Amino acid sequence: MVVEEACQTILQRCDGFKPQVGLILGSGLGNLADHIDRAYRIPYGTIPGFPVSQVAGHAGNLVLGYLGGTPVVAMQGRAHLYEGWHAAKATFPVRCMQSLGIDSLIVSNASGGINPRFHSGQVVMIDDHIDWMNRCGSNEKEINAGAASIGLPHRTGNPYDAELMESAERLALKLGFMLSRGTYLATLGPNYETRAEYRAFAKMGADMVGMSTVPEVLLAKQLGLRVLAFSIITNVAKPDVQIVTEHSDVLDWSYKAQNQLVPLIMRILNSMSETR
Ligand code: HPA
């Protein structure tokens, strides 16, 4: 019921615009929404049921319009579980975007690099994840990322779409850079890692660590959406050196990485519009 109510409000505010692709723009990436043509901008606070994030760098608007020739709905900022949102509430916008008609979801976030070959400002494509939000021993249903989906065991497989990933790699090369792939580990946050945690996560097989994305991706997969996700590396963990990660550095590096990620996402949308 609430999804229908939210969608009704959205459709009224955008003259019935029908998006095909959803975008979730994370820390510092909200500017991508400024490239959307003929944009309808709807503040989250005016949509029934939408969570409103308090985190710096998250504007909190739903923006509908054309990007790379494709009708899109973009989330300028997201709600995080560490703010205290129930996973079902934090992922509610994904349900709404699916109900509005999207068949694919492109997600972005900022993360800490664990793979020593990564550097700050690099864009990495997420090709798998470790759900450490959900598997870290918490049985608090309120904060459990799994609560975003139905409460029965179900198959996830790899939620990231192989075909879209291959296409993204080809398009990145055309833009003049090689897109690395990596495994993203999601923690509940809000604290950045200790050196011992960075070391432990490296042993677990993570290439980068962040505090978002996994709940949205799991729900999107369950709803049958094709998923593509990118992470901007904003700091690289050096477990043997005492470095403090600051949110302002995270925002600075993600602004800088937009030079690569914005044209890449435009090209991806362009190629999606050609193949429809
Ligand atoms: N850890 C967790 N989340 C992050 C980091 C980090 O080092 N950098 C940006 N988001």
Side-chain angles (χ1 to χ4, degrees):
M1 177 59 200
V2 189
V3 171
E4 287 94 71
E5 214 181 300
C7 289
Q8 233 173 35
T9 302
I10 296 165
L11 288 169
Q12 270 165 9
R13 303 281 299 278
C14 67
D15 302 325
F17 185 83
K18 286 258 170 251
Q20 292 175 346
V21 176
L23 297 163
I24 301 180
L25 308 174
S27 287
L29 273 168
N31 288 359
L32 179 57
D34 297 337
H35 297 262
I36 296 179
D37 289 330
R38 287 172 275 164
Y40 298 92
R41 197 172 300 269
I42 312 172
Y44 293 161
T46 65
I47 308 171
F50 256 57
V52 181
S53 170
Q54 303 300 322
V55 181
H58 290 258
N61 295 310
L62 196 65
V63 186
L64 297 101
Y66 290 89
L67 193 62
T70 295
V72 301
V73 51
M75 291 178 60
Q76 236 179 349
R78 57 152 67 81
H80 301 84
L81 302 200
Y82 64 71
E83 295 175 78
W85 299 105
H86 188 294
K89 180 90 169 171
T91 57
F92 176 76
V94 175
R95 284 192 192 277
C96 294
M97 292 194 287
Q98 190 252 354
S99 183
L100 289 172
I102 66 164
D103 57 25
S104 312
L105 182 68
I106 302 178
V107 187
S108 73
N109 64 38
S111 69
I114 290 179
N115 186 328
R117 275 179 238 164
F118 291 171
H119 59 83
S120 296
Q122 183 176 353
V123 176
V124 177
M125 186 162 62
I126 300 176
D127 74 347
D128 207 344
H129 71 224
I130 298 171
D131 180 1
W132 200 243
M133 282 175 169
N134 208 13
R135 301 198 200 284
C136 58
S138 163
N139 56 9
E140 275 256 20
K141 215 165 176 210
E142 289 299 294
I143 54 170
N144 188 329
S149 33
I150 53 167
L152 295 170
H154 59 270
R155 189 201 303 244
T156 301
N158 188 339
Y160 303 92
D161 190 273
E163 223 175 274
L164 288 180
M165 286 196 286
E166 278 164 29
S167 158
E169 280 168 335
R170 277 195 302 273
L171 294 168
L173 281 181
K174 282 194 187 159
L175 286 169
F177 66 96
M178 240 199 64
L179 192 56
S180 298
R181 292 184 178 212
T183 296
Y184 175 85
L185 183 146
T187 72
L188 210 46
N191 43 324
Y192 295 114
E193 288 63 38
T194 63
R195 287 179 293 162
E197 283 165 341
Y198 282 131
R199 245 181 260 124
F201 292 162
K203 286 206 175 125
M204 285 165 66
D207 292 301
M208 55 253 183
V209 54
M211 306 171 195
S212 68
T213 301
V214 165
E216 294 118 317
V217 165
L218 288 178
L219 177 62
K221 170 75 178 175
Q222 198 191 338
L223 294 174
L225 303 178
R226 297 202 299 165
V227 178
L228 190 60
F230 299 101
S231 205
I232 291 179
I233 307 296
T234 56
N235 51 288
V236 179
K238 294 198 172 63
D240 300 321
V241 184
Q242 187 74 59
I243 300 178
V244 179
T245 304
E246 303 282 358
H247 189 56
S248 54
D249 295 336
V250 169
L251 292 182
D252 281 353
W253 279 111
S254 48
Y255 282 124
K256 285 176 191 150
Q258 294 194 62
N259 294 341
Q260 273 189 343
L261 194 48
V262 169
L264 178 60
I265 291 181
M266 303 274 256
R267 284 281 182 109
I268 291 167
L269 290 168
N270 216 256
S271 102
M272 280 175 156
S273 79
E274 281 163 8
T275 53
R276 270 179 204 276

